[in-house]
Amino acid sequence: MATRRQLLGSFLAAAGASLGHRLARAAEPLPTTSTTLAPGAAVAPPPVVTPDGASLPFEWKDGVKEFHLTAEPVWREFAPGMRVKCWGYNGTTPGPTIEAVEGDRVRILVTNKLPERTSIHWHGVLLPPGMDGVSGLTQPAIMPGETWAYEFTLRQHGTQMYHPHADEMLQMAVGMMGLFVIHPREAATPPVDRDFAIMLHAWAIHPGTYRPDPAVMLDFNMFTFNSKVFPATAPLVVKTGQRVRIRFGNLSMDEHPMHLHGFKFRVTGTDGGPVPASAQLPETTTLVPVGATRDIEFVADVPGDWVLHCHKSHHTMNAMAHDIENTLGADQRGVEERIQALLPGYMGMGQRGMSEMQDMAQHMKGPKNTLPMMAGKGPFGNIEMGGMFTIVKVRDEVSADYADPGWYEHPEGTRAWKVRA
């Protein structure tokens, strides 16, 4: 029989936190800067915004765009109340987004500050085999303390990725990955106004612990956008009428059906390149396979707060055990008291559903460094979500820095209403 504490640990602290979305966001700054691409760009693309992340600066050296990545252990706060011992690049996971332009000559210096060897593979980038970054096959591994250079000319445009190809299972399980955006040299048609980049990932972080478990293959319990979970995920703020691109990369071991409320979009690119207009279907959900990228585009022509999330419902929860008894519909009257006589602290739950969990978390402490399963408080109450979930905030007026405008105020007569109690 489970004690109250065990139930919370195994249900995984199911309840929702009292964390309000905006309170959670206020706990950490939003480094959404992007690098300037000139003079490599023939056209000026809109800056890529990596929510809760940043783009990697570079220097021009003799006509080569030079970047520097440092592979190292990092701490990442998934949300207030949970910090994780990860590995990443330049102090964060995912690593900073690399931005360059088709035709650029790039040089990427990689310094290894990990306790073991590594390498770096430019996933989907067309390059000479000696630059492909597969340790043992195309190069010796990068040993701790060493710095290696990768240099090649970009012959394509689109959304690519980077990750290690040395001890790959472990190093990717603990967060080593990043996005590599190659802008077209010629102007894209139609141009976009806002360009977001999101890396999807799944983690196994056991309740009460701080380090991801690389031995878990399928049964993950944390699902992130750029290594953040709701309600700590940054909202995507756009102005009414803007054309929006969202780039998704997936280096987890699970596929993710990404769903957008309020709009239909088209998949305009994959890691293989642009999708011809004649092949673009109207969608509201697109599957992002393992080891792939997808670019979606839409016109944000309706103001409001619109949800963007993975449609695997357990991917929009935080830590949750999957090996518990199903108590839905089970009449527990009288049982709780009898069990409590044998096992003080036992608490029956789940008979009418699990939504009560969010309120309960405010009063019952779960395991250390473990987030409640559900969280987030909106203008009308608990949102009861977590994991791969954020909000696209479309407004007629936005600030110059696209700061979070707060909750949407619905015009009179445009919101659902109660008919009877």
Side-chain angles (χ1 to χ4, degrees):
M1 291 296 179
T3 64
R4 176 175 306 201
R5 182 175 182 80
Q6 287 170 330
L7 268 176
L8 281 180
S10 85
F11 243 115
L12 277 190
S18 59
L19 301 175
H21 183 243
R22 299 186 67 187
L23 286 177
R25 294 296 323 147
E28 190 172 348
L30 303 178
T32 55
T33 57
S34 178
T35 187
T36 300
L37 296 174
V43 295
V48 170
V49 176
T50 305
D52 299 302
S55 288
L56 182 62
F58 63 87
E59 293 183 65
W60 281 99
K61 291 190 174 179
D62 301 323
V64 178
K65 192 175 285 184
E66 186 174 283
F67 300 86
H68 196 165
L69 285 174
T70 299
E72 58 189 350
V74 302
W75 280 95
R76 181 65 164 176
E77 185 183 69
F78 281 18
M82 185 175 188
R83 298 179 73 233
V84 183
K85 293 180 178 179
C86 304
W87 290 1
Y89 299 94
N90 296 39
T92 187
T93 174
T97 299
I98 297 174
E99 287 188 73
V101 179
E102 183 179 13
D104 280 348
R105 183 76 175 172
V106 297
R107 181 185 305 122
I108 306 167
L109 305 176
V110 179
T111 297
N112 182 6
K113 292 186 177 179
L114 298 172
E116 70 163 357
R117 68 189 72 183
T118 189
S119 73
I120 193 160
H121 166 60
W122 314 103
H123 188 111
V125 178
L126 305 178
L127 39 60
M131 296 292 167
D132 202 34
V134 182
S135 64
L137 177 65
T138 63
Q139 66 168 87
I142 305 174
M143 301 303 290
E146 293 182 343
T147 296
W148 283 57
Y150 297 83
E151 183 170 328
F152 43 87
T153 299
L154 300 174
R155 300 188 284 115
Q156 65 196 111
H157 64 266
T159 305
Q160 319 301 144
M161 299 181 283
Y162 63 88
H163 63 82
H165 236 299
D167 194 9
E168 180 176 332
M169 185 191 75
L170 182 146
Q171 294 189 10
M172 292 174 68
V174 297
M176 296 190 69
M177 58 192 66
L179 288 158
F180 193 150
V181 174
I182 307 172
H183 295 277
R185 181 151 292 276
E186 303 300 328
T189 304
V192 299
D193 303 294
R194 297 283 279 158
D195 193 345
F196 298 96
I198 298 175
M199 180 66 81
L200 313 173
H201 200 38
W203 313 72
I205 306 169
H206 305 303
T209 69
Y210 292 81
R211 195 181 294 279
D213 183 352
V216 173
M217 298 293 108
L218 295 174
D219 198 11
F220 302 100
N221 60 4
M222 300 298 292
F223 303 89
T224 56
F225 286 167
N226 289 337
S227 301
K228 288 282 189 179
V229 298
F230 186 78
T233 49
L236 310 185
V237 181
V238 305
K239 187 173 182 179
T240 306
Q242 286 186 321
R243 187 173 184 84
V244 180
R245 177 189 294 130
I246 303 176
R247 307 171 187 262
F248 298 107
N250 181 13
L251 288 172
S252 73
M253 290 198 285
D254 203 350
E255 61 191 16
H256 302 287
M258 300 309 304
H259 177 57
L260 175 64
H261 292 204
F263 306 99
K264 58 183 179 181
F265 58 75
R266 292 178 183 268
V267 177
T268 58
T270 74
D271 40 310
V275 177
S278 60
Q280 298 172 8
L281 300 175
E283 312 261 16
T284 66
T285 302
T286 188
L287 189 67
V288 186
V290 177
T293 70
R294 292 291 183 270
D295 299 346
I296 68 169
E297 291 183 21
F298 62 97
V299 176
D301 53 2
V302 182
D305 289 339
W306 302 105
V307 170
L308 173 67
H309 66 98
C310 178
H311 222 291
K312 288 191 174 182
S313 54
H314 65 297
H315 292 191
T316 51
M317 295 287 112
N318 293 325
M320 176 180 177
H322 306 146
D323 56 352
I324 57 177
E325 298 297 329
N326 180 8
T327 57
L328 182 62
D331 187 349
Q332 301 179 53
R333 286 176 296 181
V335 175
E336 185 176 66
E337 293 78 4
R338 293 168 61 189
I339 295 178
Q340 284 175 349
L342 300 172
L343 189 65
Y346 174 84
M347 180 177 61
M349 58 171 58
Q351 178 178 340
R352 297 187 300 270
M354 300 175 73
S355 62
E356 61 189 358
M357 303 299 177
Q358 180 161 345
D359 287 329
M360 290 170 55
Q362 300 178 48
H363 310 292
M364 301 178 68
K365 187 178 180 181
K368 67 178 182 179
N369 202 47
T370 303
L371 296 172
M373 184 178 79
M374 303 174 182
K377 191 174 288 294
F380 304 107
N382 294 339
I383 297 179
E384 299 173 352
M385 304 300 287
M388 290 177 165
F389 184 99
T390 191
I391 301 170
V392 178
K393 297 192 173 186
V394 183
R395 300 289 188 273
D396 292 337
E397 300 295 332
V398 298
S399 63
D401 61 355
Y402 288 94
D404 186 343
W407 300 116
Y408 181 67
E409 296 184 8
H410 300 265
E412 184 72 21
T414 65
R415 184 169 60 78
W417 67 96
K418 182 188 296 184
V419 175
R420 64 178 66 88

